[in-house]
Amino acid sequence: METRDETSAGGLVVSGMAEAVGPGGNVDLSRIYVALIGRLDKRGRLLWSMPKGHVEDGEHQWTTAEREVWEETGISGEAFDTLGVIDYWFVSDGVRIHKTVHHNLLRYVDGVLNDDDPEVTEVAWVPMSELIERLAYADERKLARIAHDRMPALARKEAKAGRATPR
């Protein structure tokens, strides 16, 4: 069977980090939001995942992440940190594909959620405190746990730098 490698990138665009930092540096994760996409599976179930897509020739994976997040959610984000890599195998049209997906954290810059992308059924802002249980895929839930655990320190860093979320 023919084998092919494919590479994608995407991630979590995050909004409200600095604003979630309270007195004494406590961080309220329910005030930090991430944009997710929902797609219908073959059984008609809505499955939530992180936006992502194919890395174009010569394109840096952060550029891909920013482009794909915008295409799939309508949100412009600026990649600022890596989150992790997922790789898996599947068969499509008689070709065995090894897919590597680079996930990143992106800072919200601008935009309004929309599901104009024909590959996307629905888009939503989800509180960081609910992210892990919302995601459909175990590998993405593992990355969400990493984001969840790192978010308080990242939010404090954003607040200290004076980076308020654009409104």
Side-chain angles (χ1 to χ4, degrees):
M1 181 178 284
E2 178 187 351
T3 301
R4 184 171 67 224
D5 289 319
E6 291 185 1
T7 305
S8 290
L12 294 173
V13 61
V14 184
S15 177
M17 287 185 285
E19 295 81 0
V21 180
N26 292 328
V27 177
D28 182 354
L29 294 179
S30 69
R31 295 185 60 203
I32 299 173
Y33 287 83
V34 298
L36 296 182
I37 60 169
R39 292 184 172 133
L40 291 176
D41 71 0
K42 293 176 183 176
R43 295 185 214 160
R45 297 176 300 177
L46 187 63
L47 303 179
W48 292 98
S49 64
M50 298 179 195
K52 59 195 154 297
H54 183 73
V55 175
E56 301 295 336
D57 287 339
E59 189 176 49
H60 186 277
Q61 61 116 340
W62 277 18
T63 303
T64 302
E66 292 169 355
R67 177 178 52 76
E68 288 292 338
V69 164
W70 179 80
E71 288 176 5
E72 293 188 348
T73 69
I75 299 297
S76 294
E78 172 190 27
F80 70 95
D81 202 358
T82 57
L83 189 52
V85 178
I86 294 172
D87 78 308
Y88 55 94
W89 292 87
F90 64 97
V91 175
S92 177
D93 296 326
V95 178
R96 189 164 190 246
I97 298 172
H98 178 225
K99 183 128 184 183
T100 303
V101 185
H102 299 270
H103 289 81
N104 305 279
L105 292 172
L106 296 87
R107 185 182 293 112
Y108 172 85
V109 174
D110 192 16
V112 177
L113 283 181
N114 71 63
D115 58 3
D116 291 346
D117 187 312
E119 297 177 9
V120 175
T121 305
E122 200 171 317
V123 294
W125 284 112
V126 175
M128 178 64 70
S129 57
E130 299 173 17
L131 174 63
I132 297 165
E133 52 271 5
R134 182 72 67 99
L135 291 167
Y137 305 105
D139 287 343
E140 286 193 357
R141 287 193 299 271
K142 287 178 187 174
L143 293 178
R145 169 61 64 193
I146 292 167
H148 181 276
D149 292 349
R150 288 173 45 196
M151 198 50 56
L154 291 170
R156 286 189 284 274
K157 185 176 177 181
E158 293 287 295
K160 185 175 182 178
R163 284 196 195 100
T165 301
R167 299 284 178 211

